[in-house]
Amino acid sequence: MNLERRYQNVEDFAKAARRRLPKIFADYIDGGSFSETTLRRNRDDFDRYALRQRVLAPLNAKSDLSVTVTGRASRLPFGPGPVGFLGLYRKDGDIAVARTAAKAGIPFVLSTFSINGLGTIRKATGVAPEFQLYLDEDPAVNADHLEACRILGVDRIFLTVDTAITSVRERDVKNGFRSVDRMTPGLFWQFAQRPAWSLNLLRSGFPEVELVKGRAEFGRGAMAQAGNLSRRLDKNLTWDTVVELRKAWPGQLFIKGISDPDDAALAREAGVEGIVLSNHGGRQLDHGRSTVALIPEIREALGPSLALFVDSGFRRGSDIVKAIALGADYVLMGRPFAWAVAAEGEAGVAHLINLLESEIEITLNLMGLSSIEQLRRAGTEVLR
Ligand SMILES: Cc1cc2nc3c(=O)[nH]c(=O)nc-3n(C[C@H](O)[C@H](O)[C@H](O)COP(=O)(O)O)c2cc1C
């Protein structure tokens, strides 16, 4: 069956990814923290909002789904958010997502925890990616990251602030994710059960995290490096850290992981260009609110001029339409891109983008709208 028929939605990619990936990675992608309540809420709350159908409205012949936020244009109102270790789900996974995003005219955000580094991505795509920054306990490591961003022409970085403490994802604890730093019999068995993944990924040896490759303190091999990267995250981040980074970084600065209006107001005071309203896809604080339900309050606290990106639980074109009607500027998606690249590589990512694009277009048209700009102007008028 060809790709277009086989994959009709994000869940189809999720199922295929689970079939192809060793359990330790499938669970790492899927999982949320503790009882996974926030993970579920992120999805369930989209159903709180209904869309208004409007008929016989004059539509432009071609819908315009483009947005320009803080001076950066994107052909579509959504794109891949930073996801660690894409290159473990498929060989050169980071490159595959970055390249497909570049072809689709949407930005790509490279995670600090990525297998491929900034330079490799830039070379593969011809454009500098955006960069998600995790601050390490050693300032010298952070200074190196920022220097690499400067040299390679990165113009927007996202400082992730909701992971000073890594929450418990029970699936990962059971699988030993982050404590595996060598091949164990259990892991070998999992890999053996997934021959297509193993052949693709392990042929050229187990990958390394390029950004910290060769630094003894991070160890060798992506699994050990993954453990060390998260263990070494700076646990003393405060608003002063943001102010300092604001001074040190001349490009655009977004804070990722804001989910409270009071923090949104503080972000505005800290002088950033924008924030990502995010609960890390339900992977950190459990029993928090869904991000979609928070959009109006966060927009209010942020004011009209700061950029409001949102993520966590977006799976449908209609989810994106609702977020923009509620006041968001742009939507990031994590797991959907991880699943698509794991399942089908570049072709899968391209198909995922097409599916979401056409879902947004059809939804808008049935609402009597033909551009994201019209949707933004209409705001909550289009919701019931
Ligand atoms: C497997 C996985 C790895 C992630 N790695 C990172 C990361 O390295 N840096 C970061 O800021 N967020 C990371 N996130 C969080 C995403 O950027 C994003 O906030 C979240 O996935 C959004 O929810 P969604 O997956 O439901 O779209 C990760 C999420 C997943 C699922």
Side-chain angles (χ1 to χ4, degrees):
M1 212 195 303
N2 67 21
L3 222 69
E4 279 71 24
R5 286 186 56 188
R6 187 162 166 217
Y7 297 98
Q8 290 300 312
N9 51 50
V10 167
E11 188 52 30
D12 288 339
F13 281 110
K15 285 184 199 144
R18 285 175 205 131
R19 280 193 300 268
R20 194 171 185 280
L21 286 171
K23 187 169 169 14
I24 190 169
F25 298 128
D27 281 350
Y28 172 64
I29 297 171
D30 289 5
S33 53
F34 295 114
S35 59
E36 301 192 336
T37 302
T38 305
L39 181 76
R40 278 191 302 280
R41 269 183 201 158
N42 281 338
R43 287 298 309 138
D44 292 348
D45 280 357
F46 285 108
D47 289 345
R48 287 201 202 177
Y49 308 95
L51 302 173
R52 285 174 69 187
Q53 171 165 304
R54 297 301 307 277
V55 297
L56 302 173
L59 295 174
N60 295 328
K62 180 82 193 85
S63 299
D64 178 5
L65 304 190
S66 68
V67 291
T68 300
V69 192
T70 57
R72 273 207 76 159
S74 173
R75 195 178 65 78
L76 299 168
F78 68 89
V83 169
F85 315 114
L86 287 172
L88 282 184
Y89 318 143
R90 178 178 291 267
K91 185 167 162 50
D92 295 332
D94 300 292
I95 295 176
V97 178
R99 207 182 260 151
T100 319
K103 280 187 198 151
I106 60 180
F108 171 73
V109 188
L110 187 73
S111 159
T112 304
F113 291 4
S114 54
I115 298 296
N116 298 123
L118 282 164
T120 308
I121 298 293
R122 167 137 211 164
K123 209 158 131 206
T125 61
V127 286
E130 303 187 351
F131 186 64
Q132 175 268 323
L133 179 66
Y134 272 134
L135 287 175
D136 189 83
E137 60 190 18
D138 178 359
V141 171
N142 304 324
D144 282 0
H145 293 341
L146 288 181
E147 185 57 16
C149 285
R150 244 180 241 120
I151 291 170
L152 289 159
V154 171
D155 69 359
R156 183 186 277 162
I157 61 174
F158 296 82
L159 174 69
T160 299
V161 294
D162 57 1
T163 50
I165 291 173
T166 305
S167 194
V168 172
R169 297 169 204 145
E170 294 174 4
R171 309 188 206 203
D172 290 350
V173 178
K174 281 186 191 153
N175 292 327
F177 191 91
R178 288 189 210 280
S179 51
V180 180
D181 55 4
R182 71 204 140 71
M183 190 60 92
T184 59
L187 208 53
F188 184 81
W189 173 238
Q190 281 191 32
F191 289 4
Q193 285 177 312
R194 294 290 187 268
W197 174 88
S198 298
L199 280 174
N200 166 263
L201 200 92
L202 303 178
R203 229 178 352 204
S204 41
F206 208 74
E208 300 221 48
V209 176
E210 218 180 291
L211 219 63
V212 296
K213 192 173 162 186
R215 281 183 185 266
E217 64 270 36
F218 289 92
R220 287 183 54 196
M223 292 307 285
Q225 289 159 339
N228 286 320
L229 278 160
S230 46
R231 258 190 300 280
R232 291 170 49 97
L233 286 181
D234 188 344
K235 295 174 187 59
N236 300 311
L237 296 189
T238 64
W239 285 103
D240 289 343
T241 321
V242 176
V243 171
E244 272 167 36
L245 184 62
R246 171 73 293 178
K247 283 192 208 129
W249 171 249
Q252 294 189 15
L253 176 61
F254 280 52
I255 306 184
K256 176 173 180 285
I258 299 277
S259 62
D260 189 281
D262 289 350
D263 283 341
L266 291 172
R268 193 182 57 189
E269 281 169 28
V272 298
E273 276 75 20
I275 64 155
V276 184
L277 163 56
S278 171
N279 54 38
H280 220 92
R283 295 161 79 80
Q284 285 294 100
L285 174 69
D286 199 18
H287 293 270
R289 287 173 67 192
S290 70
T291 54
V292 67
L294 279 160
I295 295 172
E297 287 162 52
I298 297 280
R299 171 49 86 196
E300 171 97 37
L302 214 54
S305 54
L306 256 71
L308 172 48
F309 285 24
V310 60
D311 73 18
S312 300
F314 287 79
R315 301 291 179 266
R316 288 279 180 186
S318 54
D319 300 340
I320 295 165
V321 168
K322 289 174 186 176
I324 290 171
L326 287 165
D329 293 309
Y330 191 79
V331 169
L332 295 174
M333 298 167 104
R335 295 181 184 86
F337 283 91
W339 289 323
V341 78
E344 297 288 348
E346 267 187 60
V349 178
H351 182 49
L352 170 74
I353 295 171
N354 287 342
L355 275 178
L356 292 166
E357 176 177 357
S358 96
E359 214 172 306
I360 295 172
E361 187 169 355
I362 291 165
T363 303
L364 283 183
N365 286 184
L366 289 170
M367 296 167 73
L369 302 168
S370 45
S371 73
I372 294 293
E373 192 42 46
Q374 273 182 333
L375 173 67
R376 281 166 60 91
R377 279 201 304 264
T380 49
E381 277 295 296
V382 301
L383 303 177
R384 275 292 175 264

